[in-house]
């Protein structure tokens, strides 16, 4: 996306009236570009990616947001010691780890009443802990008190955790020394107004966790549940492999396309629920599945789009997902919404498609077979695409968070006997360079399309 010299100058010096951190953090790239111009540039980018595969009239106008602010319902906040404290924390090494273990054994004590050795109880130590965004391509934290992109309540929860860390002298994690306690907070907000806070810690024991949670909820009443995720590995992966619920049910509920979905700490869920609804409604309309049709929802995650398709009248939906916990959430979501026409299989999508194509188990006697696919950013494997062509669904609805890999995959599907009927871009991430895109492919018959006569 091209920008004029004035925009580039603003970026270079981090100046923007809506965000003092713009130009320093890596969260948004185009905040300095008027939103209408962002949409025009994204529309042009999609047209440039599909010059041969689609007719010009197949590319529909991009679906933008009415209010492109505070749309990110998931806020990931790292915590680090302020520079003056960082060297002190790093130098403690094994001594600090031993002290933390001793503190853990005193978990029954309230920290504000009986502080662990080496910690100050009671009074606030403002400015000793930083939280915010990473600078682009680094692990340097740019402190922020607000963000144009992030949900206000979720951001407030991350700041409240910071303040409580300072009040009770809870040390932030130091990735070089592998010391400290709180590494990250992942706050997820539903349109229901509920907020889930996941606190990622460098160890199991969380002294006075009940007091901590009570104070957090008092400060941010929208927080309805708090989960501790334990991550003791030296890794860039945020969430740990073990977790426990500290407060509330351990999940929140959100509403999307008239259904309610359970969101837990590890659930995949679109970070822009407003535009996710726009995306799913557009994709399901393009699929056009009716009561006699079968929909295969590949890479289905927690089953959101497949469940909406079933609720909109698809006769049968089969969701396929390799992550077992996501499949469990999908089945729970189906039960919670009373959707009986959807089933979910824990399997590799490529292997599932190959088996179905080989055994012809999805032969549809009346109606259509529709494939809906939403693969990871890297796109689908050649084996998956070949199996899709062998299965011969009447329609393929391909949703992608990276139109470049989508263009590569679509070219292979066109070679396999499909034509691009519709290209529908959706702006899921305003003020960034990212574009979500939906493509409808229809089966060709003997070199011509059925609508051609």
């Amino acid at each position: 996306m091209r920008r004029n010299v004035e925009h580039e100058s603003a970026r270079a010096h981090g100046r923007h009236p809506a965000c003092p951190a713009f130009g320093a953090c890596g969260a948004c790239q185009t905040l300095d570009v008027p939103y209408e111009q962002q949409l025009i540039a994204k529309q042009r980018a999609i047209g440039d990616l599909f010059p041969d595969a689609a007719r010009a009239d197949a590319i529909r106008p991009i679906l933008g947001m009415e209010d492109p602010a505070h749309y990110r319902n998931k806020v990931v906040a790292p915590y680090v010691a302020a520079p003056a404290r960082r060297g002190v924390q790093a130098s403690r090494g094994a001594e600090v780890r031993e002290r933390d273990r001793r503190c853990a054994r005193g978990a029954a004590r309230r920290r504000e009443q009986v502080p662990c050795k080496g910690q100050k109880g009671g009074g606030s130590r403002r400015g000793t802990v930083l939280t915010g965004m990473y600078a682009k391509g680094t692990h340097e934290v740019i402190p922020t008190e607000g963000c144009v992109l992030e949900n206000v309540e979720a951001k407030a929860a991350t700041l409240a955790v910071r303040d409580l860390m300072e009040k009770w002298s809870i040390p932030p994690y130091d990735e070089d020394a592998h010391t400290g306690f709180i590494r990250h907070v992942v706050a997820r907000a539903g349109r229901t107004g509920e907020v889930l806070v996941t606190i990622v810690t460098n160890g199991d024991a969380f002294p006075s966790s009940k007091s901590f949670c009570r104070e957090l909820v008092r400060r941010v009443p929208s927080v309805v549940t708090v989960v501790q995720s334990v991550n003791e590995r030296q890794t860039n992966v945020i969430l740990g492999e073990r977790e426990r619920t500290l407060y509330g049910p351990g999940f929140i509920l959100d509403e999307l396309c008239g259904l309610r979905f359970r969101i837990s700490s590890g659930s995949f869920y679109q970070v822009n629920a407003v535009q996710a609804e726009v995306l799913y409604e557009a994709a399901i309309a393009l699929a056009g599945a009716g009561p006699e049709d079968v929909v295969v929802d590949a890479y289905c995650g927690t089953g959101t789009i497949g469940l909406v398709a079933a609720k909109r009248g698809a006769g049968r939906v089969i969701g396929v997902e390799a992550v077992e916990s996501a499949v469990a959430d999908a089945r729970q979501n189906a039960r919670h919404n009373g959707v009986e026409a959807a089933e979910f299989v824990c399997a590799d999508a490529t292997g599932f498609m190959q088996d179905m194509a080989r055994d012809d188990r999805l032969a549809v006697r009346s109606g259509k077979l529709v494939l809906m696919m939403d693969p990871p950013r890297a796109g689908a494997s050649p084996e998956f695409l070949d199996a899709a062509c062998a299965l011969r669904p009447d329609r393929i609805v391909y949703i992608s968070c990276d139109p470049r890999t989508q263009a590569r995959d679509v070219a292979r599907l066109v070679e396999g006997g499909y034509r691009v009927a519709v290209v529908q871009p959706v702006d899921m991430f305003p003020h960034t360079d990212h574009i979500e895109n939906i493509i409808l492919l229809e089966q060709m018959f003997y070199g011509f399309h059925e609508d051609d006569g």
Side-chain angles (χ1 to χ4, degrees), residues 218-360:
R218 188 188 70 80
R219 295 182 180 215
V220 188
S222 55
V223 174
V224 299
T225 189
V226 182
V227 173
Q228 178 188 4
S229 176
V230 181
N231 185 355
E232 298 176 291
R233 297 170 294 169
Q234 290 184 283
T235 175
N236 291 332
V237 176
I238 292 174
L239 295 179
E241 296 177 349
R242 307 189 306 279
E243 71 173 42
R244 64 184 178 123
T245 300
L246 302 178
Y247 174 85
F251 61 88
I252 60 174
L253 294 174
D254 198 20
E255 296 179 356
L256 191 69
C257 298
L259 301 179
R260 288 174 70 84
F261 293 93
R262 173 173 167 163
I263 306 171
S264 54
S265 62
S267 298
F268 171 79
Y269 195 70
Q270 292 282 3
V271 299
N272 185 343
V274 173
Q275 286 299 90
E277 198 164 76
V278 172
L279 179 82
Y280 292 168
E281 294 286 9
I284 290 166
L286 290 174
E292 301 297 323
D293 303 332
V294 175
V295 175
V296 175
D297 181 12
Y299 312 96
C300 73
T302 55
T304 46
I305 194 165
L307 290 171
V308 175
K311 203 71 173 179
R312 293 291 188 273
R316 182 186 179 195
V317 173
I318 304 171
V320 185
E321 171 59 51
V323 179
E324 190 172 347
S325 61
V327 173
D329 281 344
R331 291 169 178 164
Q332 174 63 31
N333 286 329
R335 287 192 294 270
H336 182 77
N337 288 283
V339 178
E340 298 180 355
E343 59 190 277
F344 297 94
V345 179
C346 187
D348 172 71
T350 298
F352 178 87
M353 293 292 290
Q354 290 172 329
D355 289 346
M356 293 302 100
R358 182 169 52 250
D359 299 343
D360 199 26

Side-chain angles (χ1 to χ4, degrees), residues 4 25 33 66 72 75 78 94 100 104 146 155 158 167 176 186 202 221 246 266 279 374 399 404 411 415 431:
N4 61 33
C25 92
V33 178
E66 290 185 12
R72 289 191 66 90
V75 177
D100 289 344
K155 180 65 175 179
T158 68
K167 177 181 178 180
D176 295 324
V186 181
N202 183 37
L246 302 178
L279 179 82
D374 187 1
I399 303 171
R404 292 170 299 181
E415 290 176 1
H431 312 305

Side-chain angles (χ1 to χ4, degrees), residues 41-52 59:
K42 291 181 178 183
Q43 182 81 33
R44 186 183 303 118
I46 290 295
D48 291 344
L49 278 173
F50 299 96
D52 301 321
I59 303 179

Side-chain angles (χ1 to χ4, degrees), residues 96-143:
V96 172
R97 287 192 291 272
E98 177 58 29
R99 188 210 68 196
D100 289 344
R101 283 192 289 268
R102 290 198 306 270
C103 289
R105 290 194 289 268
R109 301 175 300 176
R110 293 187 64 183
R111 182 180 279 106
E112 63 268 42
Q113 293 179 345
V114 187
C116 296
K117 183 179 179 182
Q119 294 181 332
K120 297 178 181 179
S124 175
R125 301 165 63 221
R126 193 75 175 153
T128 59
V129 178
L130 304 181
T131 188
M133 302 282 191
Y134 284 125
K136 186 175 181 180
T138 76
H139 277 198
E140 177 188 354
V141 172
I142 306 298

Side-chain angles (χ1 to χ4, degrees), residues 378-393:
S381 68
E383 293 79 11
F384 177 95
L385 300 169
D386 291 344
C389 292
L391 188 62
R392 303 302 292 167

